[in-house]
Structures are given as structure tokens and as C-alpha cells.
Amino acid sequence: MSEKLVTIKEVVLKNNCPECYNNEGLRLIFKQKIIDTKLYRSTTSQMSHEIACKTCHNIIYPVKWTDDIERVFEYQKKAFVPQKSSIYLKKTSWIAIILAIIIAIAVILIVVYPNL
């Protein structure tokens, strides 16, 4: 089972970076958790976000956010629409379900048929 965070939306911010003071490098990245197994692939409702500077290659943690960055983050957070939570059954799941149904029908026929 693998769990990974997939980037759903990346927003370029025009604010100054608190580390290098460049105003063209900040990126707000929204990520959503996806679970992938042999039987299914699930998109969860678990979200994460981070602000990173592409100029100085630092992650800007909320402690260092300025009031301007905080306001832009809150606006983008309200405007962001995540993907719906879903489960996709893979081929092996469908094969297992069909085999279980066939076995159940066979057991019922074996139990009921001799009594007729």
C-alpha cells in the first residue's frame, strides 16, 4: 500500500519571500492524499498545503508568514476546490468479487439441488 500526496493546484504568489525577499518565487501548493493498493485506488479528503520559494528553495512555514501572505493564503484556501473523495476498484478486485459470487451460487446450488 502506497500513500502519496498529489499536487492538485499550484498558485504563484506576488508577495515577498520572508527568506530572500524576492517577490517572484513564492508558490502556494495544495496537495491531496491518494492511497494506492493492489485492489483499489482511493482519493481521500485529506488535504495539505505548503508555501515554498523557488528562488531560495526554502519552505516557508506559517511562523514566518507575514500578514499579507496570511491574507492571500486564506483567500486561496477559500477559492480552492479539492477533488471529490472516491474509490476506484482495480481489475483484481472485480475478479475477486465475481469469483465470490460464483462460489456463493455454486454452494447454494449444491445445498438446494439435492433436496429437490
Side-chain angles (χ1 to χ4, degrees):
M1 177 167 79
S2 67
E3 296 178 359
K4 57 185 173 181
L5 292 172
V6 176
T7 300
I8 303 298
K9 183 178 179 183
E10 185 171 335
V11 180
V12 177
L13 303 180
K14 297 293 181 186
N15 298 76
N16 289 337
C17 172
E19 297 290 327
C20 67
Y21 303 106
N22 188 348
N23 67 348
E24 295 182 12
L26 283 182
R27 304 280 192 270
L28 172 59
I29 302 166
F30 291 99
K31 296 181 178 185
Q32 192 165 8
K33 185 177 181 180
I34 293 180
I35 300 172
D36 197 10
T37 66
K38 292 181 180 180
L39 300 176
Y40 67 92
R41 182 173 192 248
S42 174
T43 302
T44 64
S45 60
Q46 185 176 357
M47 302 295 303
S48 71
H49 60 273
E50 71 177 23
I51 295 180
C53 181
K54 299 295 180 182
T55 306
C56 63
H57 304 289
N58 287 327
I59 294 175
I60 311 301
Y61 295 102
V63 175
K64 293 191 175 187
W65 289 1
T66 61
D67 291 337
D68 294 334
I69 293 174
E70 185 74 34
R71 280 192 296 270
V72 171
F73 170 74
E74 290 299 325
Y75 172 78
Q76 292 294 337
K77 186 177 174 183
K78 289 178 185 176
F80 175 65
V81 179
Q83 293 180 354
K84 291 183 179 179
S85 298
S86 64
I87 295 177
Y88 168 75
L89 294 178
K90 293 184 178 180
K91 195 176 198 179
T92 53
S93 295
W94 289 112
I95 292 171
I97 291 169
I98 291 171
L99 284 175
I101 291 171
I102 290 172
I103 290 171
I105 291 171
V107 168
I108 290 171
L109 288 176
I110 290 172
V111 170
V112 174
Y113 185 69
N115 295 335
L116 293 177

